[in-house]
């Protein structure tokens, strides 16, 4: 079968590999669609140290079950499925606390075990036992459904920060995840949603989405804009979805007293220190939250939000390509021509 194989830093190949075979306790899935994630692009551009080569990339997928292992219950051939990426151990302290996304012995699909940029993918017992693999509702298309994983990560962060009615929610960064953050906040009942984007190109793209206010910070002062919009108070929730230290600092200038800041995006690994006024947090009673990855519950919620039509997937998914065009997809993302690119491994 054809697959996208990560073979080391700056080494990625679309090539023929042996298809997986089913085991007693596993399931083999025929992949319909798999979206390219920032992680995949990063692996191609600069390499990711935690990825164990050789491994097939891809974790944002929808497929149908090809074969079910003899001891597996609850799934049948032809079931359409998707999967939460991080397969937890189920026994460590984090798993015991109901935080499988923070599992200390996790095996993520598409970086640690073979992923879904391939015609077929094997789901090991771990992915079945802990509820990661799940059936997809008929109303959700293969293409739209491949956004379930990134949207699950967004839902994780919004659950942690308690986003809902009647919050004014400001999102910094108009990439795919920032757009998902803003539209998800709206779907959860946010009173006002604001998206701040620096570059003009993505600002113009973001204006097409279901977001109340889109601000281009190249021409408009985002702090003044948000203060004017909120009678001088600032935002109830600020979510940083831009991978820079400046964006983290901006978040604290946008948040109201008693507000919440979610550090959803990471900052460059080689320079992660950010200077923040601790007294501003202290006197303002500001809460700061981290958020990373998603759980099977988050993934399930995301899948149903997509099925309900709560997210502009038609605008977010700008390209659908064959697996042979994988590198074209990477180029489209690197040049910012594309938002989300979906690959169809089986044509
Ligand atoms: Zn992803
Ligand atoms: Zn664990």
């Amino acid at each position: 079968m054809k697959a996208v194989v990560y073979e080391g830093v700056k080494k990625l190949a679309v090539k023929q590999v042996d298809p997986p075979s089913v085991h007693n306790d596993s399931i083999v899935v025929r992949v319909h669609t798999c979206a390219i994630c920032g992680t995949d692009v990063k692996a191609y551009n600069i390499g990711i140290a935690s990825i164990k080569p050789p491994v097939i990339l891809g974790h944002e997928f929808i497929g149908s079950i090809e074969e079910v292992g003899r001891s597996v219950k609850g799934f049948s051939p032809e079931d359409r499925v998707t999967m939460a990426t991080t397969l937890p151990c189920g026994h460590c302290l984090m798993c015991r606390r109901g935080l499988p996304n923070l599992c200390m012995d996790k095996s993520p699909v598409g970086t640690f075990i073979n992923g879904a940029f391939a015609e077929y993918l094997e789901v090991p017992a771990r992915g079945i036992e802990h509820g990661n693999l799940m059936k997809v509702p008929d109303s959700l298309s293969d293409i739209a459904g491949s956004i379930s994983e990134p949207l699950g990560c967004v839902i994780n962060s919004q659950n942690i920060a308690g986003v809902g009615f009647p919050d004014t929610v400001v999102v910094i960064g108009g990439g795919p995840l920032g757009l998902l953050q803003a539209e998800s906040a709206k779907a959860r009942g946010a009173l006002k949603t604001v998206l701040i984007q620096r570059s003009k190109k993505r600002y113009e793209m973001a204006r097409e989405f279901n977001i109340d206010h889109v601000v281009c910070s190249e021409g408009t002062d985002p702090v003044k804009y948000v203060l004017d919009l909120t009678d001088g108070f600032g935002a109830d929730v600020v979510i940083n979805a831009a991978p820079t230290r400046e964006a983290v600092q901006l978040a604290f200038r946008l948040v109201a007293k008693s507000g919440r800041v979610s550090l959803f995006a990471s900052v460059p690994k080689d320079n992660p220190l950010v200077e923040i006024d601790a007294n501003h947090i202290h006197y303002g009673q500001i809460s700061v939250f981290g958020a990373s990855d998603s759980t099977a519950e988050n993934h399930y919620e995301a899948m149903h939000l997509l099925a309900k039509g709560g997210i502009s997937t038609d605008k977010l998914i700008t390209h659908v390509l064959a697996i042979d065009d994988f590198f074209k997809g990477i180029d489209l993302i690197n040049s910012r021509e594309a938002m989300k690119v979906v690959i169809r491994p089986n044509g």
Side-chain angles (χ1 to χ4, degrees), residues 87-96 99-106 126 130:
L87 310 187
C89 75
H91 312 292
C92 74
L93 183 62
M94 292 300 127
C95 285
R96 294 273 180 232
L99 299 165
N101 55 318
L102 303 182
C103 172
M104 283 129 115
D105 183 26
K106 61 190 177 187
R126 248 194 194 200
H130 302 300

Side-chain angles (χ1 to χ4, degrees), residues 279-316:
N279 280 341
H280 179 61
I281 296 172
H282 165 71
Y283 288 114
Q285 289 188 193
I286 292 160
S287 303
V288 184
F289 301 101
S292 176
D293 207 336
S294 61
T295 65
E297 282 84 351
N298 303 144
H299 196 100
Y300 182 83
E301 196 181 322
M303 179 179 83
H304 283 285
L305 177 56
L306 290 166
K308 221 177 108 186
I311 300 291
S312 307
T313 48
D314 52 335
K315 292 174 190 140
L316 191 72

Side-chain angles (χ1 to χ4, degrees), residues 96-276:
R96 294 273 180 232
R97 284 184 178 162
L99 299 165
N101 55 318
L102 303 182
C103 172
M104 283 129 115
D105 183 26
K106 61 190 177 187
S107 9
V109 175
T111 51
F112 194 84
I113 58 174
N114 279 335
F117 288 130
E119 290 170 54
Y120 298 94
L121 150 105
E122 185 188 13
V123 178
R126 248 194 194 200
I128 304 160
E129 283 162 7
H130 302 300
N132 288 63
L133 189 72
M134 58 192 83
K135 291 175 198 169
V136 175
D138 290 343
S139 55
L140 181 60
S141 74
D142 289 339
I143 291 176
S146 51
I147 303 302
S148 301
E149 191 274 340
L151 184 59
C153 298
V154 163
I155 286 171
N156 178 44
S157 70
Q158 296 198 357
N159 285 346
I160 293 169
V163 172
F165 181 79
D167 290 328
T168 290
V169 178
V170 173
V171 178
I172 305 171
L177 285 158
L179 295 166
L180 286 172
Q181 284 282 6
E183 286 203 337
S184 169
K186 184 120 183 147
R188 295 166 73 106
L191 205 56
K192 291 177 196 164
T193 51
V194 183
L195 185 118
I196 297 167
Q197 165 58 27
R198 195 165 51 182
S199 73
K200 198 95 185 159
K201 195 169 176 178
R202 285 212 154 159
Y203 160 75
E204 292 295 347
M205 287 168 111
R207 288 176 62 185
E208 303 295 315
F209 286 74
N210 187 20
I211 302 165
D212 298 326
H213 306 269
V214 180
V215 183
C216 180
S217 58
E218 246 174 24
T220 307
D221 176 1
V223 177
K224 185 179 180 316
Y225 188 96
V226 169
L227 289 178
D228 286 349
L229 191 72
T230 55
D231 296 328
F233 285 103
D236 299 300
V237 182
V238 181
I239 299 168
N240 182 37
T244 68
R245 297 180 302 145
E246 293 74 20
V248 173
Q249 290 175 318
L250 175 61
F252 287 93
R253 295 170 62 210
L254 295 168
V255 72
K257 282 190 173 181
S258 87
R260 291 99 78 197
V261 172
S262 173
L263 301 183
F264 177 71
S266 61
V267 296
K269 207 169 61 182
D270 54 0
N271 198 0
L273 299 184
V274 181
E275 203 166 87
I276 290 161

